[in-house]
């Protein structure tokens, strides 16, 4: 799965032709799911809401597929649906959560999400908050760590898997940058003990190569799931351990 994209190029007519139906489908899905999601949450409860959220993820992926995007999945045999995990993945853009929700639906993960995603996105913003995911503001690190710890404790209590993107911001060139240790450590300390599932995501940076519309047409995207790793021992250097996991994730992106 390639990760480095070519130098930025101008949008083509094909990009625009593919993006118009795709963006219309994305907007339609997010808007049309909003009221049903609220009703499900109010009258049916938490688990049906989470199930409906993963149904939305499948619909949103089909909208992205209208751009000609294809998704290759590798490593599903490493996932035990009866096991909970802390999922750590590189970050390439808005499509990351949709891909993880689609591919790892059996785990029904909650997320550590930026505040920007929890505001102004029909259906998605509501789901992030109502599902129990952590909403963090990177400009307020103390409050962000407290929110991650809240999610970790709840995940342990409820038996949830949780996904975190330790870069904190998307890599526009597709190459994972330095991972921030503090939030990941807070999540592992509170959600564990449980295995860590490294995931390599590719193609998202290329899909959003134009920083908005149009999407780039015909992108080959990938989700590579690596074998689970044990969390670091109490006396182990967390930074060194996390860098090892980052290198595992990066290894699938360098091919």
């Amino acid at each position: 799965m390639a990760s480095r994209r070519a130098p930025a190029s101008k949008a083509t007519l094909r990009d625009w032709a593919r993006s118009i139906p795709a963006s219309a489908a994305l907007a339609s899905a997010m808007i049309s799911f909003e009221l049903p999601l609220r009703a499900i949450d109010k009258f049916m409860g938490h688990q049906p809401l989470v199930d409906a959220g993963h149904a939305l993820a499948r619909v949103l992926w089909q909208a992205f597929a209208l751009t000609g995007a294809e998704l290759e999945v590798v490593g599903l045999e490493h996932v035990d649906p009866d096991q909970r995990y802390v999922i750590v993945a590189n970050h390439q853009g808005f499509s990351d959560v949709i891909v993880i929700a689609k591919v790892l639906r059996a785990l029904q993960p909650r997320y550590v999400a930026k505040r920007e995603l929890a505001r102004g996105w029909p259906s998605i913003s509501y789901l992030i908050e109502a599902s129990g995911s952590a909403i963090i503001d990177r400009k307020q690190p103390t409050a962000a760590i407290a929110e991650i710890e809240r999610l970790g404790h709840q995940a342990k209590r409820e038996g949830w898997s949780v996904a975190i993107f330790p870069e904190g911001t998307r890599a526009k060139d597709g190459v994972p940058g330095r991972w921030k240790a503090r939030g990941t450590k807070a999540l592992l300390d509170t959600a564990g003990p449980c295995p860590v599932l490294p995931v390599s995501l590719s193609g998202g940076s290329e899909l959003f190569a134009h920083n908005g519309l149009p999407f780039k047409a015909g992108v080959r995207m990938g989700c590579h799931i690596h074998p689970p790793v044990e969390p670091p021992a109490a006396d182990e250097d967390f930074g060194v351990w996390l860098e090892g996991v980052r290198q595992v994730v990066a290894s699938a992106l360098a091919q």
Side-chain angles (χ1 to χ4, degrees), residues 154-242:
Q154 188 171 6
K156 184 174 184 177
R157 185 171 62 250
E158 303 289 347
W160 296 344
S161 291
V162 183
I164 187 170
F165 305 94
E167 284 166 275
T169 187
R170 76 183 184 97
K172 294 183 179 181
D173 62 358
V175 180
R178 178 176 173 271
W179 282 11
K180 299 173 176 62
R182 191 179 174 195
T184 308
K185 186 176 189 304
L187 185 60
L188 285 173
D189 285 348
T190 51
C194 63
V196 174
L197 191 66
V199 174
S200 304
L201 300 169
S202 62
S205 59
E206 189 176 3
L207 182 67
F208 299 105
H210 305 303
N211 293 318
L213 289 177
F215 302 119
K216 186 171 178 61
V219 173
R220 293 185 62 188
M221 301 177 68
C223 179
H224 187 125
I225 304 160
H226 300 271
V229 299
E230 290 300 314
D235 59 349
E236 191 171 354
D237 186 309
F238 187 84
V240 172
W241 175 88
L242 186 63

Side-chain angles (χ1 to χ4, degrees), residues 53-103:
H54 284 83
L56 172 61
R58 293 198 305 275
V59 173
L60 292 177
W61 170 254
Q62 290 303 317
F64 278 128
L66 294 175
T67 67
E70 297 180 355
L71 179 63
E72 178 186 10
V73 179
V74 176
L76 267 177
E77 67 274 12
H78 300 310
V79 179
D80 178 356
D82 296 322
Q83 171 69 55
R84 67 185 187 93
Y85 301 92
V86 171
I87 302 161
V88 291
N90 61 307
H91 188 28
Q92 298 209 329
F94 170 68
S95 60
D96 295 343
V97 170
I98 294 169
V99 169
I100 288 177
K102 169 183 164 57
V103 174

Side-chain angles (χ1 to χ4, degrees), residues 99-114:
V99 169
I100 288 177
K102 169 183 164 57
V103 174
L104 297 177
R105 182 187 179 189
L107 300 180
Q108 298 192 331
R110 276 62 169 182
Y111 302 88
V112 176
K114 294 184 294 185

